[in-house]
């Protein structure tokens, strides 16, 4: 009888602790706070070797509190396709999110699963790019946007996150919250467009000078390009300020001890040879994960290749949910506790089309040392088109190429590429020297071609026919013409995530992309 009474008392005590935890913003299940920075290069934060002094103290703090992944990647080097991978556990060509239009979901997304399992889901900023279809309530309990230039304000992120947490408090549920920081996306701080639209109203906590920064090796040494890089770094600083306010808000709300913080960038900086490219400066990302008392502070994983395709399975395992068989990534939860596990030896990434709807598909397979790239469009007929065309670095390189043979070679490489590229990233991290015809790399080239072929077959990649005919330029040109026709139809018919595309206004478009509709796919 004494034992029965003792058990009852223990049970009441545990129940009391549970409800006390709820009243303090805690639940039995961990909260997930996923922070993205827009267009931030993987090596900009100081914790990843960034050389600009005191640039990212708040991002670095997450690394100090948790684990830093040295070899992390996203699956796409442009916004909406990259973000879709996190929420679907699928490659862009599998989910249909190859571009900047809405798609009919094919399977359950991460927020849908979490919502059904009792999580309160929310997104702050970049709602469209975080969702597959425009029926946002399907994914999110809470939708919070920003007015005008406030997306560059650190204080605005604190205010809006507080609103979200107030809703969480009322729901008495654990949360999954995606906070999309706008910086350092164009326009950069001090850019003409930034001043015009009022973004410069919100200054970074520290403003750097030209003496504080360097031009990356993949660009050209030029005063105008250096000024653009300075504006970029000042925008990174402002983005880090936003991260600081986000973390402070979590700490003040008594959620810190039970909140897993995940931070990454959606892709590289918005300049040539980074964003919109499948080179490391386009698809490599900082990836930091902290969880008090669960992840050893200051941990660094230097050995495993992980990528955004793995985040949905990892988050589901962290929240004690089953992982759909359709998800193609691999959970790396065990790595967070310091265990040794085998992860993929290769990462596959892709680019399909720009925000305007112009297709220029690329595929790459890489390990930590070598990368192979296939560009079916690079026959000399279809110049590359991306947002970088409108920015200073591109314009300066284009102008200099008229009289400088070295710059011309580099610029033409960006605009026209080659159907196949091979880089030794261990020796050439900025992809300056294409080794596709180097006989000393023939063995690894054959291996990487086989790996990419197997991946394209496994994931039913629409680019596979082009890859099988990669040496036939006539075939590639015809294949690209078919892609252009389908893309043109998509721009005129599909509901777009932007107000306009390559064909003008999108406000009258009414159709969702369907992965099984051969007219569009």
């Amino acid at each position: 009888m004494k034992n029965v009474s003792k058990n009852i008392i223990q049970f009441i005590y545990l129940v009391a602790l549970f409800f006390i935890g709820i009243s303090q913003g805690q639940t039995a299940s961990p909260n997930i706070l996923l922070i993205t920075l827009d267009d931030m290069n993987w090596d900009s934060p100081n914790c990843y070797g960034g050389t600009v002094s005191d640039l990212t103290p708040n991002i670095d703090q997450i690394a100090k509190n948790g684990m830093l992944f040295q070899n992390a990647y996203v699956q796409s080097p442009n916004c909406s396709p990259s973000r879709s991978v996190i929420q679907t556990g699928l490659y862009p060509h599998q989910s249909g999110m190859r571009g900047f239009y809405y798609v009919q979901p094919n399977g359950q997304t991460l927020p849908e699963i979490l919502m059904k399992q009792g999580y309160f889901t929310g997104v702050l900023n970049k709602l469209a790019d975080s969702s597959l279809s425009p029926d946002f309530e399907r994914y999110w309990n809470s939708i919070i946007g920003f007015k005008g230039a406030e997306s560059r304000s650190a204080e605005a992120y604190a205010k809006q996150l507080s609103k979200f947490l107030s809703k969480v408090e009322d729901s008495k549920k654990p949360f999954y919250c995606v906070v999309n920081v706008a910086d350092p996306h164009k326009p950069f701080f001090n850019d003409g467009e930034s001043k015009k639209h009022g973004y410069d109203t919100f200054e970074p906590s520290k403003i750097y000078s030209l003496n504080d920064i360097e031009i990356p090796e993949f660009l050209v040494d030029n005063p105008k390009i250096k000024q653009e890089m300075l504006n970029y770094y000042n925008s990174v600083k402002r983005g880090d300020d936003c991260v600081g306010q986000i973390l402070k808000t979590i700490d003040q709300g008594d959620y810190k001890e039970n909140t897993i913080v995940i931070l990454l960038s959606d892709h590289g900086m918005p300049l040539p040879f980074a964003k919109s490219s499948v080179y490391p400066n386009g698809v490599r990302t900082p990836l930091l994960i902290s969880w008090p008392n669960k992840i050893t502070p200051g941990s660094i994983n230097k050995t495993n290749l992980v990528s955004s395709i793995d985040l949905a399975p990892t988050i589901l395992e962290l929240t004690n949910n089953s992982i759909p068989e359709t998800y193609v990534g691999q959970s790396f939860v065990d790595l967070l506790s310091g265990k040794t596990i085998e992860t993929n030896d290769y990462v596959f990434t892709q680019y399909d089309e720009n925000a305007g709807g112009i297709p220029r598909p690329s595929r790459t397979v890489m390990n930590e040392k070598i990368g192979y790239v296939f560009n079916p469009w690079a026959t000399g007929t279809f110049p590359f088109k991306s947002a970088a065309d409108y920015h200073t670095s591109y314009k300066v390189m284009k102008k200099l190429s008229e009289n400088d043979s070295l710059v011309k070679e580099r610029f033409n490489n960006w605009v026209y590429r080659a159907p196949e590229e091979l880089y030794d990233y261990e020796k050439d991290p900025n992809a300056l020297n294409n080794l596709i015809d180097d006989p000393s790399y023939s063995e690894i080239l054959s291996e990487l071609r086989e790996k990419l072929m197997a991946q394209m077959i496994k994931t039913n990649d629409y680019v596979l026919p082009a890859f099988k005919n990669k040496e036939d330029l006539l075939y590639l040109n015809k294949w690209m013409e078919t892609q252009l026709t389908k893309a043109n139809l998509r721009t005129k018919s599909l509901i777009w995530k932007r107000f306009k595309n390559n064909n003008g206004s999108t406000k009258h478009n009414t159709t969702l992309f369907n992965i099984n509709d051969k007219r569009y796919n």
Side-chain angles (χ1 to χ4, degrees):
M1 191 72 178
K2 288 183 179 179
N3 288 335
V4 174
S5 299
K6 182 178 181 181
N7 290 337
I8 293 174
I9 292 172
Q10 287 178 334
F11 175 74
I12 294 173
Y13 175 71
L14 290 173
V15 170
L17 284 180
F18 175 78
F19 283 104
I20 290 171
I22 288 179
S23 69
Q24 294 176 341
Q26 301 296 319
T27 61
S29 299
N31 306 304
I32 306 292
L33 176 65
L34 178 70
I35 305 171
T36 74
L37 284 96
D38 210 337
D39 292 20
M40 184 179 74
N41 232 55
W42 75 273
D43 58 354
S44 292
N46 297 122
C47 58
Y48 278 90
T51 58
V52 178
S53 176
D54 192 36
L55 184 67
T56 56
N58 297 299
I59 292 173
D60 298 346
Q61 190 61 49
I62 301 175
K64 293 175 183 177
N65 292 341
M67 179 171 285
L68 179 152
F69 288 87
Q70 192 65 47
N71 297 301
Y73 297 83
V74 293
Q75 260 55 59
S76 180
N78 56 344
C79 178
S80 202
S82 177
R83 295 172 188 276
S84 74
V85 173
I86 300 172
Q87 307 305 336
T88 65
L90 299 171
Y91 288 92
H93 64 273
Q94 292 179 300
S95 69
M97 191 61 73
R98 288 153 40 180
F100 286 72
Y101 41 77
Y102 288 109
V103 306
Q104 184 66 47
N106 183 22
Q108 286 201 324
T109 63
L110 174 61
E112 285 178 278
I113 295 172
L114 292 175
M115 188 186 294
K116 289 180 180 179
Q117 295 302 318
Y119 270 74
F120 190 85
T121 65
V123 58
L124 277 69
N125 197 30
K126 298 190 79 72
L127 169 61
D129 294 312
S130 301
S131 308
L132 285 184
S133 53
D135 48 337
F136 301 138
E137 67 282 354
R138 174 172 180 160
Y139 317 101
W140 313 109
N141 296 116
S142 176
I143 299 165
I144 299 177
F146 291 84
K147 295 181 179 179
E150 284 191 346
S151 64
R152 312 295 173 130
S153 164
E155 289 71 21
Y157 282 91
K159 179 181 178 180
Q160 300 295 5
L161 182 55
S162 294
K163 287 184 180 179
F164 171 79
L165 293 177
S166 178
K167 296 177 182 179
V168 170
E169 188 75 19
D170 292 338
S171 75
K172 298 293 188 286
K173 295 179 179 180
F175 69 77
Y176 170 59
C177 185
V178 180
V179 183
N180 299 307
V181 176
D183 276 314
H185 193 285
K186 277 286 192 175
F188 299 148
F189 178 78
N190 198 42
D191 279 356
E193 284 296 306
S194 180
K195 295 176 181 178
K196 177 181 177 182
H197 293 289
Y199 296 143
D200 282 10
T201 301
F202 304 103
E203 294 187 349
S205 58
K206 179 178 180 180
I207 297 178
Y208 294 89
S209 69
L210 290 170
N211 293 330
D212 297 319
I213 64 104
E214 297 177 351
I215 300 174
E217 189 179 6
F218 57 85
L219 295 174
V220 174
D221 189 357
N222 176 273
K224 290 183 178 180
I225 292 179
K226 190 167 187 178
Q227 180 63 53
E228 183 166 52
M229 286 305 306
L230 173 61
N231 295 352
Y232 162 79
Y233 281 116
N234 279 322
S235 298
V236 171
K237 183 63 178 177
R238 188 169 57 185
D240 184 75
D241 294 339
C242 295
V243 172
Q245 287 298 313
I246 292 166
L247 298 176
K248 183 179 179 181
T249 303
I250 290 293
D251 292 351
Q252 290 177 338
D254 294 326
Y255 289 93
K256 179 178 180 180
E257 294 303 314
N258 199 33
T259 297
I260 301 169
V261 177
I262 303 172
L263 181 141
L264 73 161
S265 174
D266 61 342
H267 48 69
M269 65 176 67
L271 302 174
F273 302 100
K275 180 179 180 177
S276 302
S277 83
V278 292
Y279 307 130
N281 285 303
V283 294
R284 195 170 177 182
T285 184
L287 178 60
L288 308 169
I289 304 179
S290 68
W291 190 7
N293 304 314
K294 301 288 186 178
I295 299 176
T296 302
S299 303
I300 300 177
N301 183 293
K302 298 180 179 180
T303 57
N304 295 91
L305 291 175
V306 296
S307 55
S308 58
I309 199 79
D310 303 318
L311 284 177
T314 300
I315 290 171
L316 287 174
E317 185 173 351
L318 284 169
T319 55
N320 297 310
N321 287 292
S322 59
I323 302 168
E325 293 182 1
T326 54
Y327 282 21
V328 294
Q330 175 185 356
S331 170
F332 54 82
V333 164
D334 284 344
L335 295 179
L336 300 177
S337 59
K339 296 179 181 178
T340 300
I341 65 171
E342 289 188 9
T343 51
N344 295 321
D345 295 327
Y346 300 92
V347 168
F348 300 93
T349 75
Q350 65 188 83
Y351 176 83
D352 291 282
E353 64 179 58
N354 68 7
I358 300 176
R360 294 292 187 270
S362 294
R363 297 292 184 270
T364 191
V365 53
M366 68 180 82
N367 57 29
E368 69 274 17
K369 296 181 180 180
I370 305 291
Y372 167 75
V373 180
F374 173 57
N375 306 303
W377 59 271
T379 64
T381 303
F382 310 97
F384 191 70
K385 299 292 183 182
S386 74
D389 297 9
Y390 303 98
H391 304 326
T392 299
S393 294
Y394 176 93
K395 293 178 180 179
V396 168
M397 291 178 68
K398 182 179 181 179
K399 183 65 176 178
L400 292 175
S401 69
E402 296 174 3
N403 299 302
D404 188 318
S405 59
L406 292 178
V407 176
K408 182 178 181 180
E409 181 180 0
R410 183 69 176 149
F411 180 74
N412 285 345
N413 185 47
W414 172 249
V415 176
Y416 293 104
R417 299 317 146 78
E420 294 186 285
E421 302 174 82
L422 185 73
Y423 297 98
D424 187 334
Y425 293 133
E426 186 175 39
K427 300 176 181 177
D428 178 23
N430 290 299
L432 301 174
N433 184 24
N434 185 2
L435 302 169
I436 197 69
D437 295 321
D438 190 326
S440 63
Y441 286 84
S442 60
E443 185 174 342
I444 185 64
L445 173 59
S446 296
E447 178 185 340
L448 293 178
R449 281 171 173 160
E450 291 176 3
K451 293 291 183 183
L452 184 57
M453 172 75 85
Q455 170 73 1
M456 295 174 85
I457 293 172
K458 178 181 177 182
T459 62
N460 193 29
D461 194 335
Y462 73 96
V463 179
L464 179 60
F467 186 71
K468 289 181 176 179
N469 294 274
K470 57 184 172 294
E471 296 179 359
D472 186 340
L473 296 187
L474 180 60
Y475 179 92
L476 293 181
N477 281 334
K478 291 182 178 178
W479 184 85
M480 274 301 300
E481 289 294 344
T482 299
Q483 300 308 310
L484 288 166
T485 299
K486 291 182 177 182
N488 189 52
L489 181 60
R490 292 196 296 266
T491 62
K492 294 179 179 179
S493 305
L494 300 183
I495 304 174
W496 219 255
K497 294 188 175 185
R498 301 293 184 268
F499 296 117
K500 63 179 181 179
N501 57 33
N502 189 51
N503 266 314
S505 173
T506 62
K507 66 181 180 179
H508 297 301
N509 294 6
T510 59
T511 306
L512 288 180
F513 178 88
N514 188 320
I515 195 73
N516 297 313
D517 192 332
K518 299 302 182 183
R519 294 175 301 165
Y520 302 113
N521 189 26

